[in-house]
Amino acid sequence: MKTVSVALVLCLNVGVDPPDLIKPTPCARLECWLDPLTMNPNKSLEAIGNSLQKQYERWQPKARYKQSLDPTVEEVKKLCLSLRRNARDDRVLFHYNGHGVPKPTQNGEIWVFNKNYTQYIPLSIYDLQSWITGPTVFAYDCSNAGAIIEHYKHFCQQRSDESVTDSDNEVPIELLKNCIHMASCSANEVLPLNPDLPADLFTSCLTTPIKTALRWFCINNNNLLVPNVTLEMIEKIPGRLNDRRTLIGELNWIFTAITDTIAWNVLPITERIMRSFNCSPTSHPNLPATHNHPMWYTWDLVLDRCLSQLPSIIKNGQEFTHSTFFEDQLTAFQVWLALGSKERRVPEQLPVVLQVLLSQIHRIRALDLLGKFLDLGVWAVESALSVGIFPYVLRLLQSSARELKPRMLFIWAKVLAHDISCQVDLVKDGAYKYFLYILADPQMPSKDRAMAAYVMAMIVKDNPNGKEAAQQNNIIAVCTELLDDSNPLLRQWAVLCLGYEWHGYDPARWCAVRDNAYEKLYHLLSDDCVEVRASVVYALGTFVSNKNDRSGQADNIDQGIGMTLAGCVKDASPVVRKELVVALSGFVLEFESYFISTASKLMRDSDSEKEKNRAGNNQGSGAAAGGWVYLPNKNNGPPSSPLLHQSNDSSHFQGSRRSRLISSPSSNSLSASTASEYHPALERLLLLPPRNVYNMVWRALITLLHDPFPEISDLGKELYNYLMIKVTASNSSPTGSLRQFDSFSLGVSSQGLDDASVSIAKKTSKGIERSRSQPQMPISDAMPHSQQFSSKRTVFGRGPVNSDSSDDETDNRIYRLPNVKTELGSWCSSQFRKSLLKPIKQYDPSSQEYYDNEWKFLINAEIRAGAAASYRYLSKSQLDDECFIQRTNFSPQIIRFMEYQKSVVVAGQNEINVWNWEQPSKMKPFRNNLKNHKITAMEIINEHHSPLLLVGTDDGSLRLWKHFDDDENLNLVTAWKGLSDMLKSSFRRSGLVMSWEQEAGKLLCSGDVRTVSIWDVRKEMKIQEIPTGADSCVTSISSGADKSSLLVAGCGDGSVRLFDRRLPASESRVKTLFEHKAWVVKVHKQSGGSGNIISGSIAGDVKFWDPRFTESVKTINTQCTLSAMDVHKEADIFVCGSATQVIQVYNHSGELNSCIKYHDGFRVQRIGAISCLAFHPYRVMFAAGGADCLLSVYSPPDKRR
């Protein structure tokens, strides 16, 4: 709020003392540093008024000033009404000097004069309130001034009480309370009369603080440290207040910094000086005491040092030595940053640092320290903004100094990350060009341009004026040039800046069309950086979500973008896929009618082929007339809702890239509710080749419905439910009422869609309002479809009838827009809200995490060394000591040991459990997915730091779990489709099989497909796909741990296939080994120089291969049918299990180490048909799971363990 008007009311009556005060001789006479007795009374009064106005103008030069010198009541009234009328809702300052009139009365009155100056006339504060109202700042310079404040508050309370009974009160109470009062002394104090001081000491402290402070210092110095400085010398200090190179200018600069430090205004000096003369300045609202602040001692020290030079400067013309005050304060601030504790308050040097920004000498250092301070977090930025950083850093944007640019970028990135409202001032003052020029400057480092891109993105985000200003300065072209930069952060924010710029702003959108900017984003959909890919999807989504008038060219462009976006459905990152749902929702809403017609056509075709539909829909879910999907409920019989249910177990992204899985109170598994399927007619889209963009987007939407990441599938269901409501509405319309159209007006081929579909599309699009401002209300699922809809309703009728809602509410409920949105922008901005200067804790030697990791590495090394020492005893001991046996809740299918913890992870059909094999205990089992897909692969990764559990299922999905051994903190980190287009077979299926390369961060996947997919998990993208060349599924895959390019795959037809990843995909298969005649149970590529391969088939033959030859070098016949097999990663042993309840352990020479069989009797081993086996990665022990739900761990005798 600005102070636009100032009323200067002076009641001096020069030459006549007030009757209630006897002034001594000599006494304080100066008013505004003028002696009124040296001039004619009238002239002196006018001179004092002009001098006071000039003093105020130094602080507020743009305000409107009105003087009222020795006024009457009418003159004060006229003045107040005039200023309030002109100021409107802005602030007015009312300054009252009552040195020539009696003290304020006990009835709440101050004194003015009559027209002839023969009488003192009382002016009620009550009337003054009515005239000037608020907001107002009052300054009272008179004796007993505190009484005025007390009466003002009393009258406010009186008016408040009156307003309860009198609603016609002319003065709003809120305006009166929105006022600030400053009084020179309390209600029972008299102003000081010291002749060395001005009579208006309070006013002097407010308007000329430095001059008053120097005079007060000289009076109270007692000639101890600077004995030769007199009041006359104070008046002769050379220089100008606004010239910091001079002595008086530097003192003024330092004084400003100190007073800002104490209270960020000039009231501190008022309190300090007035209290030294037994006056207590008062205010309302009350301000804390500042007269004893320790920074005053710093000010005294500065004055001692500077004024000690004054005699030499005046007499000899000596140059003064500049103070080291600012250097000392910067050093103190630096020490605070380096050594301050975590529980620290805002440093008192912060306002001083802002003042130093005005100095070219110390500016670089001050900016560096300020940047480090802002990097501490949100509280630091808020503290800097509250002190007043904004005008200082805004002013520095006018500087073209190159050395300032990185520092200014860092500071503004921090400010905008916490307070985006600053974008308005950057646009209004044209300061945004500073960042735009840096962004377009190829000489600037990429990291600096990345920050400039972020700042520009924040300037244009949801800011129409910012979009227009940036568009006029070619922001589209500038950002497009940066899309191929090597810095991923720059690419990310350049893309987001484009998305923010053309979102809802059609001129920028057409500019992008002219520059082909949207097409230049396509190649970034395969970028190595997840954030870049997600940003591109967001930008393309905002490009097609355009509610303005459409044209044929715009439609063709948007359809091309839609086809491109549909191809992103296989991206491994849930961040990208989640943003894809939002982007597709915008595309669907733009071309809603054509998606409805596509689905309607498929459903009519489905109705004409009922027998085929029954064969395809064997899950038990039924479709209602008109396209509703009935959701089967295993517990409650008939379905109760025609819509896809959203899972209740996944939480949304909250400042984190990953979503946390919230377990139900009763168990740590996902919700057991049955996940619904899409309408069976839409399955045709997955079987037929896409014929147009709408088919492609429908296919993508159906894929997203079954996304393994719960939050994405929930968003997909939200969009699907919206479309199905519209499809049902269109299918319920009488065909005869629909007008026929020959073809689509959008220029898209209508092949496969009949005229009725086209007319439905047109009429549905026209009849249903698609405004995004519609209320987001949940769709009722209390009644089945047949009960919700009236049999006589039309296409554009109300929809389901709900007895608890009005007709209008029902309309909103049935045609609500899908609530599909993300927080990608906020999440991306969070990286600037975090510390950018501190090293990551796990790499910071000063952090506890660093030493925890170091300790963990040492312990892990000892475990590996101890395990390696035990390998030499293998020939003398047998692995048949059953050290652990427990019955599980399910039949184990896969087992994995944790490398450095005494835990074993067991997976069943869809459940996972963790056991401690040393002290038998387990955590509650959790379900891997909602749809009961069978777990076929499992790996524990990243065990050196924070172990993660990677689980693969027979539908090709991969899920990565964190804290899987903790009941309370189970967390789904990510999930994606590792394999797509899984082949269905009536013969035995392998599902998904995988091999993990820890050092490379790569995952090899195959199974019921004809390819091997290689994923870079760090980049969350598929980097290679190799055709297997086999007509059967892949049953096992291995690549070793030696960074070899060779990978080995065992197949269902008995073949073992070798691939070299360095070769092109079509040439990568280098060998095919056909000695096995049955299903390959296990292949293992040994680490080390030899790289030998071990494979075993279901027929019981185990073969050793040298990759250089096409024939095996050794064959071991186990004499049993293998159901499971595993090879130790380090030791020369392997274990085989059979459905005939036999476990055999062999060394690589073919010698039988141990044979564990089923035995009858008491205190003997009882094992069931072996379903899975697994060695510990380092220790000499293995675990076995049987069909009888028993889990056993075997090891050598205790002394060899």
Side-chain angles (χ1 to χ4, degrees):
M1 186 180 296
K2 299 181 296 183
T3 301
V4 298
S5 300
V6 178
L8 303 178
V9 180
L10 304 182
C11 298
L12 298 180
N13 198 12
V14 177
V16 180
D17 293 335
D20 59 349
L21 178 63
I22 300 176
K23 295 183 179 180
T25 303
C27 67
R29 292 292 183 184
L30 297 180
E31 298 281 353
C32 296
W33 304 107
L34 298 176
D35 188 348
L37 300 181
T38 60
M39 294 180 284
N40 179 275
N42 291 333
K43 291 185 178 180
S44 63
L45 181 61
E46 183 179 349
I48 292 171
N50 293 335
S51 179
L52 179 60
Q53 179 174 332
K54 290 180 181 178
Q55 291 174 186
Y56 267 113
E57 286 176 343
R58 179 173 175 268
W59 302 101
Q60 183 58 287
K62 296 182 180 180
R64 180 182 181 183
Y65 290 88
K66 289 289 186 179
Q67 299 178 23
S68 185
L69 308 178
D70 288 349
T72 63
V73 173
E74 290 300 323
E75 289 173 346
V76 173
K77 178 180 180 181
K78 182 179 179 181
L79 171 67
C80 293
L81 293 176
S82 173
L83 292 181
R84 173 50 60 198
R85 183 170 56 253
N86 294 326
R88 297 183 181 180
D89 295 331
D90 287 321
R91 185 186 292 119
V92 174
L93 189 149
F94 183 87
H95 180 98
Y96 174 74
N97 183 323
H99 295 170
V101 293
K103 303 172 186 176
T105 69
Q106 296 181 356
N107 296 326
E109 298 163 328
I110 59 176
W111 296 95
V112 291
F113 302 96
N114 63 356
K115 292 184 178 181
N116 300 322
Y117 299 101
T118 58
Q119 290 181 343
Y120 299 109
I121 304 299
L123 170 61
S124 175
I125 300 298
Y126 189 90
D127 293 334
L128 185 63
Q129 288 179 341
S130 303
W131 301 336
I132 202 167
T133 65
T136 306
V137 176
F138 294 93
Y140 310 113
D141 190 348
C142 61
S143 297
N144 295 8
I148 303 177
I149 299 179
E150 296 301 323
H151 290 301
Y152 190 96
K153 293 190 292 184
H154 171 74
F155 290 140
C156 283
Q157 184 61 42
Q158 180 180 333
R159 289 180 183 273
S160 179
D161 297 338
E162 292 173 354
S163 64
V164 176
T165 57
D166 183 9
S167 59
D168 297 332
N169 196 330
E170 297 180 355
V171 182
I173 302 301
E174 293 75 14
L175 293 179
L176 295 179
K177 292 182 178 180
N178 189 18
C179 294
I180 300 173
H181 301 263
M182 298 178 292
S184 57
C185 58
S186 63
N188 56 356
E189 293 177 343
V190 179
L191 295 179
L193 298 174
N194 189 325
D196 294 328
L197 296 174
D200 60 345
L201 181 60
F202 179 73
T203 301
S204 299
C205 290
L206 290 177
T207 58
T208 56
I210 184 64
K211 187 173 183 178
T212 308
L214 291 173
R215 178 175 287 267
W216 178 85
F217 176 81
C218 186
I219 294 173
N220 289 272
N221 186 45
N222 296 325
N223 296 328
L224 296 179
L225 296 179
V226 282
N228 299 323
V229 176
T230 63
L231 288 176
E232 290 74 14
M233 290 183 177
I234 295 296
E235 298 294 335
K236 297 179 181 179
I237 296 178
R240 299 189 307 274
L241 287 175
N242 57 359
D243 187 355
R244 294 190 297 270
R245 296 171 297 178
T246 63
L247 177 57
I248 190 65
E250 185 175 66
L251 286 174
N252 183 60
W253 185 24
I254 296 173
F255 178 80
T256 302
I258 289 178
T259 53
D260 283 354
T261 301
I262 296 175
W264 310 328
N265 55 44
V266 295
L267 276 180
I269 189 65
T270 304
E271 184 180 18
R272 190 189 192 201
I273 294 177
M274 297 298 290
R275 280 183 179 272
S276 68
F277 295 102
N278 300 319
C279 286
S280 302
T282 59
S283 64
H284 178 76
N286 291 328
L287 297 175
T290 58
H291 64 282
N292 56 355
H293 195 281
M295 284 299 289
W296 286 126
Y297 299 111
T298 304
W299 169 244
D300 292 340
L301 176 62
V302 170
L303 287 181
D304 283 335
R305 289 180 174 177
C306 291
L307 295 183
S308 63
Q309 309 174 51
L310 189 57
S312 300
I313 295 175
I314 295 176
K315 294 179 181 179
N316 306 325
Q318 179 181 335
E319 291 290 333
F320 81 97
T321 302
H322 289 277
S323 173
T324 61
F325 168 78
F326 289 107
E327 295 179 13
D328 296 340
Q329 294 299 309
L330 288 178
T331 301
F333 190 59
Q334 184 175 357
V335 171
W336 183 91
L337 289 172
L339 304 177
S341 66
K342 294 181 179 179
E343 304 297 330
R344 47 189 167 182
R345 298 180 300 174
V346 179
E348 62 182 18
Q349 295 84 14
L350 181 58
V352 179
V353 174
L354 299 184
Q355 287 290 332
V356 178
L357 295 178
L358 303 177
S359 170
Q360 294 183 354
I361 300 175
H362 307 297
R363 183 175 294 162
I364 298 297
R365 184 185 179 193
L367 286 173
D368 288 336
L369 295 177
L370 181 59
K372 292 179 181 179
F373 176 72
L374 297 178
D375 196 54
L376 295 178
V378 179
W379 68 271
V381 177
E382 291 177 349
S383 299
L385 289 173
S386 65
V387 170
I389 182 180
F390 189 81
Y392 291 94
V393 292
L394 186 63
R395 181 177 177 182
L396 287 178
L397 294 180
Q398 301 173 5
S399 173
S400 60
R402 196 171 188 84
E403 63 274 11
L404 296 183
K405 292 181 179 180
R407 297 167 175 86
M408 293 301 298
L409 286 169
F410 184 90
I411 291 173
W412 274 104
K414 284 291 184 180
V415 170
L416 287 171
H418 294 89
D419 186 5
I420 196 173
S421 64
C422 297
Q423 62 181 190
V424 177
D425 295 279
L426 290 174
V427 175
K428 180 177 64 176
D429 298 331
Y432 70 92
K433 296 180 181 179
Y434 183 89
F435 307 101
L436 193 58
Y437 293 156
I438 294 176
L439 189 61
D441 186 359
Q443 302 300 321
M444 292 295 293
S446 292
K447 64 177 183 179
D448 295 335
R449 299 174 81 187
M451 286 192 179
Y454 169 73
V455 173
M456 286 305 305
M458 293 299 100
I459 289 174
V460 302
K461 183 179 181 182
D462 300 327
N463 183 7
N465 294 332
K467 295 176 188 288
E468 181 180 359
Q471 172 64 21
Q472 293 174 354
N473 287 270
N474 300 320
I475 186 68
I476 300 292
V478 171
C479 290
T480 305
E481 293 296 324
L482 303 173
L483 298 180
D484 295 322
D485 192 89
S486 59
N487 188 334
L489 188 62
L490 177 54
R491 298 198 301 272
Q492 173 192 350
W493 282 107
V495 172
L496 284 175
C497 187
L498 288 174
Y500 290 152
E501 173 64 21
W502 61 47
H503 181 42
Y505 187 59
D506 213 40
R509 189 172 182 267
W510 284 110
C511 179
V513 171
R514 290 191 295 270
D515 294 346
N516 290 327
Y518 64 95
E519 291 184 351
K520 295 175 182 178
L521 296 177
Y522 289 168
H523 73 283
L524 292 180
L525 291 171
S526 58
D527 194 275
D528 290 346
C529 179
V530 171
E531 291 82 358
V532 174
R533 302 201 301 271
S535 301
V536 172
V537 174
Y538 168 81
L540 293 177
T542 57
F543 193 88
V544 299
S545 299
N546 178 37
K547 302 303 296 181
N548 294 320
D549 294 337
R550 307 200 63 83
S551 64
Q553 181 185 6
D555 291 337
N556 291 333
I557 292 173
D558 290 347
Q559 290 156 15
I561 294 176
M563 297 179 68
T564 303
L565 288 173
C568 300
V569 73
K570 297 182 180 180
D571 196 287
S573 171
V575 179
V576 176
R577 299 198 308 278
K578 183 180 177 183
E579 203 59 41
L580 177 62
V581 181
V582 181
L584 291 181
S585 69
F587 183 78
V588 166
L589 293 176
E590 293 301 328
F591 300 97
E592 178 183 291
S593 57
Y594 300 97
F595 286 97
I596 294 173
S597 61
T598 299
S600 300
K601 172 65 168 58
L602 288 169
M603 290 175 184
R604 285 194 302 276
D605 291 346
S606 176
D607 291 340
S608 65
E609 301 174 2
K610 293 182 179 180
E611 294 299 326
K612 183 177 180 180
N613 286 339
R614 290 196 189 99
N617 186 20
N618 55 10
Q619 298 292 329
S621 61
W628 286 113
V629 178
Y630 279 159
L631 301 186
N633 191 316
K634 294 183 178 181
N635 300 323
N636 301 326
S640 62
S641 172
L643 301 177
L644 296 183
H645 290 304
Q646 293 188 359
S647 60
N648 298 323
D649 54 279
S650 64
S651 61
H652 296 285
F653 288 149
Q654 298 176 353
S656 170
R657 177 172 164 182
R658 307 303 186 198
S659 176
R660 185 175 184 272
L661 187 68
I662 306 298
S663 302
S664 63
S666 58
S667 72
N668 289 335
S669 65
L670 284 88
S671 173
S673 62
T674 302
S676 58
E677 300 292 335
Y678 46 84
H679 192 286
L682 298 179
E683 188 175 6
R684 294 166 57 90
L685 289 172
L686 301 178
L687 302 176
L688 299 175
R691 286 178 285 193
N692 54 47
V693 61
Y694 309 113
N695 285 18
M696 291 184 65
V697 175
W698 260 118
R699 286 165 59 101
L701 177 58
I702 293 171
T703 303
L704 292 170
L705 282 176
H706 301 287
D707 194 279
F709 201 74
E711 187 177 354
I712 298 173
S713 62
D714 287 349
L715 291 175
K717 291 168 188 175
E718 184 83 17
L719 182 56
Y720 170 84
N721 287 342
Y722 171 79
L723 285 175
M724 291 311 297
I725 293 172
K726 297 298 186 72
V727 171
T728 302
S730 65
N731 285 349
S732 300
S733 173
T735 306
S737 65
L738 299 178
R739 187 160 52 92
Q740 304 296 311
F741 285 81
D742 294 333
S743 61
F744 288 106
S745 64
L746 300 184
V748 180
S749 172
S750 59
Q751 181 181 3
L753 302 177
D754 57 17
D755 292 337
S757 299
V758 177
S759 65
I760 289 173
K762 290 291 183 180
K763 195 156 187 175
T764 304
S765 177
K766 181 178 180 181
I768 298 175
E769 176 63 34
R770 296 186 287 122
S771 171
R772 293 179 185 247
S773 62
Q774 285 178 278
Q776 300 295 326
M777 301 178 64
I779 297 177
S780 172
D781 57 357
M783 296 180 291
H785 168 267
S786 60
Q787 297 180 29
Q788 293 189 47
F789 279 98
S790 169
S791 60
K792 297 182 179 180
R793 70 180 181 87
T794 63
V795 175
F796 313 113
R798 272 197 205 95
V801 177
N802 190 330
S803 58
D804 296 332
S805 304
S806 66
D807 292 343
D808 293 339
E809 290 174 344
T810 305
D811 284 338
N812 288 333
R813 290 163 70 89
I814 197 63
Y815 291 127
R816 72 178 181 115
L817 291 175
N819 185 20
V820 179
K821 60 182 179 180
T822 64
E823 298 294 336
L824 177 68
S826 177
W827 172 68
C828 290
S829 295
S830 65
Q831 60 189 318
F832 290 97
R833 289 192 286 270
K834 300 175 183 177
S835 176
L836 301 177
L837 301 178
K838 291 183 179 179
I840 301 175
K841 288 186 176 180
Q842 62 184 13
Y843 301 119
D844 183 6
S846 65
S847 68
Q848 182 63 38
E849 289 82 353
Y850 176 84
Y851 292 102
D852 290 343
N853 287 334
E854 288 294 314
W855 176 83
K856 188 183 297 183
F857 293 157
L858 292 175
I859 295 298
N860 294 348
E862 291 182 6
I863 293 175
R864 293 194 299 272
S870 66
Y871 298 158
R872 61 178 179 269
Y873 299 111
L874 284 175
S875 60
K876 302 178 181 179
S877 61
Q878 294 183 331
L879 271 72
D880 56 3
D881 185 9
E882 191 175 38
C883 61
F884 171 87
I885 182 170
Q886 289 290 332
R887 183 172 296 278
T888 63
N889 299 329
F890 45 80
S891 176
Q893 301 296 319
I894 304 174
I895 302 174
R896 290 292 181 268
F897 279 95
M898 297 186 69
E899 293 181 351
Y900 305 112
Q901 301 179 32
K902 297 182 179 180
S903 300
V904 59
V905 184
V906 186
Q909 181 79 14
N910 189 28
E911 288 186 296
I912 298 174
N913 208 343
V914 182
W915 289 85
N916 185 314
W917 52 263
E918 184 178 55
Q919 299 175 350
S921 62
K922 68 172 182 176
M923 67 168 284
K924 294 179 182 178
F926 65 91
R927 296 184 64 191
N928 180 61
N929 63 82
L930 289 172
K931 300 182 180 179
N932 292 316
H933 290 295
K934 181 181 178 182
I935 297 175
T936 59
M938 185 169 65
E939 295 287 348
I940 304 175
I941 68 176
N942 202 39
E943 292 202 58
H944 258 310
H945 295 276
S946 178
L948 303 172
L949 183 65
L950 183 61
V951 183
T953 53
D954 60 358
D955 66 336
S957 298
L958 290 161
R959 291 174 175 83
L960 190 63
W961 298 91
K962 188 176 182 180
H963 303 308
F964 56 91
D965 55 349
D966 187 345
D967 292 346
E968 303 297 330
N969 300 309
L970 182 64
N971 184 11
L972 180 62
V973 178
T974 186
W976 76 98
K977 282 282 188 179
L979 299 176
S980 56
D981 303 324
M982 301 280 283
L983 302 176
K984 297 182 179 180
S985 173
S986 58
F987 188 61
R988 180 178 179 182
R989 298 178 59 193
S990 62
L992 179 147
V993 297
M994 62 184 176
S995 177
W996 169 250
E997 298 178 349
Q998 177 66 46
E999 293 187 13
K1002 292 182 173 59
L1003 180 68
L1004 283 62
C1005 295
S1006 192
D1008 293 323
V1009 290
R1010 298 291 184 263
T1011 59
V1012 176
S1013 299
I1014 302 177
W1015 296 87
D1016 189 321
V1017 178
R1018 295 191 182 100
K1019 298 177 181 178
E1020 298 185 75
M1021 64 184 303
K1022 184 189 294 186
I1023 58 175
Q1024 197 172 1
E1025 190 168 63
I1026 302 173
T1028 62
D1031 293 330
S1032 61
C1033 62
V1034 174
T1035 60
S1036 180
I1037 190 169
S1038 176
S1039 62
D1042 53 359
K1043 299 182 180 180
S1044 171
S1045 61
L1046 191 68
L1047 66 88
V1048 185
C1051 299
D1053 60 359
S1055 63
V1056 177
R1057 298 169 185 261
L1058 279 66
F1059 302 90
D1060 190 338
R1061 286 180 273 180
R1062 297 170 298 182
L1063 300 175
S1066 59
E1067 304 173 6
S1068 59
R1069 179 158 56 93
V1070 294
K1071 273 189 179 61
T1072 305
L1073 310 174
F1074 285 107
E1075 293 190 13
H1076 290 296
K1077 303 303 180 184
W1079 182 284
V1080 176
V1081 177
K1082 176 74 175 181
V1083 293
H1084 174 78
K1085 181 178 178 295
Q1086 292 182 295
S1087 302
S1090 62
N1092 289 337
I1093 299 168
I1094 304 174
S1095 63
S1097 76
I1098 197 172
D1101 54 331
V1102 177
K1103 295 184 178 292
F1104 290 73
W1105 309 85
D1106 188 323
R1108 296 172 296 178
F1109 307 113
T1110 57
E1111 296 180 353
S1112 61
V1113 297
K1114 186 188 304 180
T1115 300
I1116 301 174
N1117 196 337
T1118 63
Q1119 303 298 325
C1120 62
T1121 301
L1122 299 186
S1123 59
M1125 175 182 172
D1126 196 26
V1127 182
H1128 199 284
K1129 187 171 72 172
E1130 302 292 341
D1132 293 337
I1133 54 174
F1134 64 89
V1135 60
C1136 301
S1138 171
T1140 58
Q1141 300 170 288
V1142 177
I1143 299 175
Q1144 297 172 320
V1145 181
Y1146 291 87
N1147 61 26
H1148 289 187
S1149 300
E1151 300 173 350
L1152 181 65
N1153 176 280
S1154 306
C1155 184
I1156 305 170
K1157 298 182 178 180
Y1158 175 86
H1159 295 282
D1160 290 325
F1162 183 67
R1163 295 179 63 85
V1164 295
Q1165 293 181 342
R1166 295 175 177 269
I1167 62 174
I1170 302 302
S1171 58
C1172 52
L1173 293 167
F1175 272 112
H1176 190 283
Y1178 299 111
R1179 300 176 189 269
V1180 182
M1181 59 170 50
F1182 69 89
D1188 56 354
C1189 299
L1190 285 179
L1191 173 66
S1192 302
V1193 176
Y1194 298 92
S1195 67
D1198 289 344
K1199 63 181 180 179
R1200 301 299 185 195
R1201 227 177 261 172

